[in-house]
Amino acid sequence: MAYITLSRSNYFHNLSLLADKCGGVDKLSVVLKDNAYGHGLKEMATLASEFGVTKAVVRDEEEALEIKEQFEDILVLAPRTDTNPTDNSSLVLNSLEQIYKTKPKTKVYLKIDSGMRRNGITADEISDALKLIISKALVLKGVMTHFATSDESGDAFEMEMQRWLEIKNQVKAFLNELNIPQPSFSSLASHGVLRVGNIDDEIVRCGIATYGYNEFDESFKKIALKPVLKLHAKRITSRVVKPTDRVGYGKVGTVAIETIVSSYDIGYGDGFFRYDGKSDFFTPEGDKIVGRISMDITSVASDKDEIVLLDDAKVLADRFSTISYDILVKLSPRIKRVVID
Ligand SMILES: *Cc1c(COP(=O)(O)O)cnc(C)c1O
């Protein structure tokens, strides 16, 4: 069976780098949503906790339940209303309506729109939202925002950060007036932390950089992150293929000279990218993929018992006009994950 290896030392390298940048491991929360960006929720939660991270961010209550023992605080980004949160979860609330529907005593984070125009209450709803949170007896653990342009060059990001500062001051002033303790504030994700490091927030939320990637363009300084995940596949069969032969669906796979071509047990059914067999495409070890990738099978000009299909998602992302997140998150949860040093 194809399998994934997860490098503990690379993960710890990335976590150290981010903890240093943001002002310490206590400020760092690791984003483990969507099966830890395809890496494996349980495995990454265990590693993060081993490193000393005490906070995690997940998509829903089900993911929070799976890792509740490993963390002190879990932030649930997209709460479902049909499940009870674990005691150590806080739910992100995005609108007055969501605040209104949330049960008393629930721990919450209020999300504020600082310019992304996607989720969160608007700045002029802040006092109404805070009043409603107080009157509904919710526990306000945090106030957060998410920036739209932290990996873009230009000054848009500066403006978003400025907006956040104003929002924070507005929230603080409102709560001070009522003698209510201040919540934690959180705005930066990976690119923000890599870009500005330590700002005056209590918590940062890092996903992609912990896994070893960023999506900055060339204008940014290179950052020494290390990819954590490798995807391996095993040989099913081998055959000698002649230049006159055609390999795979649509018969688009060809070889220039007589070559041993083997089939490996990985395909787009495992969430790997479906290469269409056009123009050259090589594995990270330089073996040529021959013809289209099928649902469960990939043919490669190799006779190795095992091959590596992916060790740097950015290479695949660039090749197929997408981003590293997209390549990683689709890797099927059914592929076995093995933690290595
Ligand atoms: C996914 C997500 C993050 C993490 O983003 P990265 O770019 O992977 O670090 C942080 N905050 C929120 C609200 C998110 O949805």
Side-chain angles (χ1 to χ4, degrees):
M1 273 294 283
Y3 63 99
I4 282 170
T5 48
L6 302 166
S7 163
R8 176 189 277 107
S9 51
N10 286 7
Y11 188 50
F12 284 10
H13 167 89
N14 302 332
L15 292 180
S16 303
L17 189 145
L18 291 163
D20 283 351
K21 282 217 180 255
C22 78
V25 71
D26 293 341
K27 276 179 89 163
L28 180 65
S29 69
V30 288
V31 182
L32 300 175
K33 68 187 177 196
D34 294 87
N35 198 31
Y37 292 38
H39 288 63
L41 177 59
K42 271 253 166 21
E43 291 81 359
M44 297 316 289
T46 306
L47 287 174
S49 137
E50 203 181 298
F51 183 83
V53 175
T54 59
K55 301 178 198 63
V57 181
V58 293
R59 183 164 180 179
D60 58 21
E61 290 89 338
E62 251 176 47
E63 284 192 332
L65 191 61
E66 267 194 67
I67 58 164
K68 72 176 167 121
E69 305 298 340
Q70 275 101 338
F71 297 96
E72 287 169 20
D73 292 299
I74 301 175
L75 186 62
V76 179
L77 291 173
R80 311 153 34 137
T81 44
D82 58 350
T83 323
N84 281 329
T86 64
D87 291 345
N88 56 357
S89 292
S90 302
L91 308 185
V92 175
L93 301 181
N94 277 295
S95 65
L96 294 171
E97 192 190 342
Q98 279 185 336
I99 300 172
Y100 194 75
K101 285 186 180 156
T102 303
K103 287 190 206 132
K105 303 271 179 353
T106 307
K107 293 180 194 158
V108 300
Y109 263 63
L110 179 62
K111 174 110 167 255
I112 302 180
D113 180 359
S114 57
M116 170 96 92
R117 314 302 290 144
R118 189 181 68 171
N119 262 335
I121 61 156
T122 56
D124 50 15
E125 291 172 323
I126 288 176
S127 10
D128 286 346
L130 292 172
K131 276 186 215 154
L132 194 53
I133 285 172
I134 294 161
S135 72
K136 292 262 316 176
L138 305 180
V139 182
L140 183 65
K141 291 275 287 182
V143 173
M144 63 185 278
T145 194
H146 194 43
F147 297 131
T149 58
S150 55
D151 58 345
E152 308 280 334
S153 42
D155 58 7
F157 181 54
E158 299 301 323
M159 283 162 65
E160 283 190 294
M161 296 239 299
Q162 187 52 42
R163 190 85 198 87
W164 171 238
L165 233 124
E166 291 159 18
I167 288 168
K168 267 168 76 165
N169 289 336
Q170 199 181 329
V171 171
K172 284 182 179 174
F174 183 93
L175 294 175
N176 266 341
E177 192 114 318
L178 298 177
N179 264 327
I180 291 174
Q182 295 295 337
S184 297
F185 290 89
S186 175
S187 63
L188 298 179
S190 295
H191 293 95
V193 171
L194 294 173
R195 193 163 173 173
V196 300
N198 189 2
I199 67 164
D200 179 32
D201 280 349
E202 286 71 32
I203 296 172
V204 300
R205 311 179 305 267
C206 292
I208 198 70
T210 68
Y211 306 108
Y213 297 95
N214 70 72
E215 292 289 335
F216 289 128
D217 62 38
E218 261 89 70
S219 66
F220 288 90
K221 207 168 78 225
K222 214 164 157 32
I223 298 153
L225 297 166
K226 297 182 180 175
V228 170
L229 177 149
K230 267 192 200 188
L231 174 64
H232 311 253
K234 293 192 174 167
R235 192 174 65 87
I236 310 168
T237 62
S238 296
R239 69 204 58 237
V240 174
V241 173
K242 299 195 185 79
T244 50
D245 288 336
R246 298 288 176 269
V247 178
Y249 283 116
K251 292 185 176 284
V252 296
T254 57
V255 292
I257 52 167
E258 201 169 277
T259 307
I260 296 179
V261 173
S262 304
S263 62
Y264 291 89
D265 61 351
I266 188 90
Y268 64 83
D270 301 297
F272 191 65
F273 210 91
R274 180 188 170 276
Y275 161 63
D276 62 6
K278 294 177 195 158
S279 68
D280 286 349
F281 179 31
F282 294 90
T283 71
E285 296 169 331
D287 301 315
K288 188 176 185 314
I289 298 185
V290 185
R292 290 180 193 162
I293 289 183
S294 318
M295 193 179 291
D296 301 328
I297 298 167
T298 297
S299 294
V300 180
S302 165
D303 60 356
K304 292 176 197 160
D305 283 334
E306 270 191 38
I307 54 167
V308 173
L309 260 299
L310 188 172
D311 64 1
D312 181 349
K314 193 79 180 95
V315 172
L316 271 181
D318 289 346
R319 174 74 168 70
F320 295 109
S321 310
T322 183
I323 52 176
S324 49
Y325 300 72
D326 181 31
I327 296 290
L328 294 163
V329 77
K330 289 179 176 151
L331 294 171
S332 168
R334 286 181 320 172
I335 305 172
K336 190 172 157 56
R337 269 78 173 162
V338 185
V339 175
I340 58 168
D341 281 334

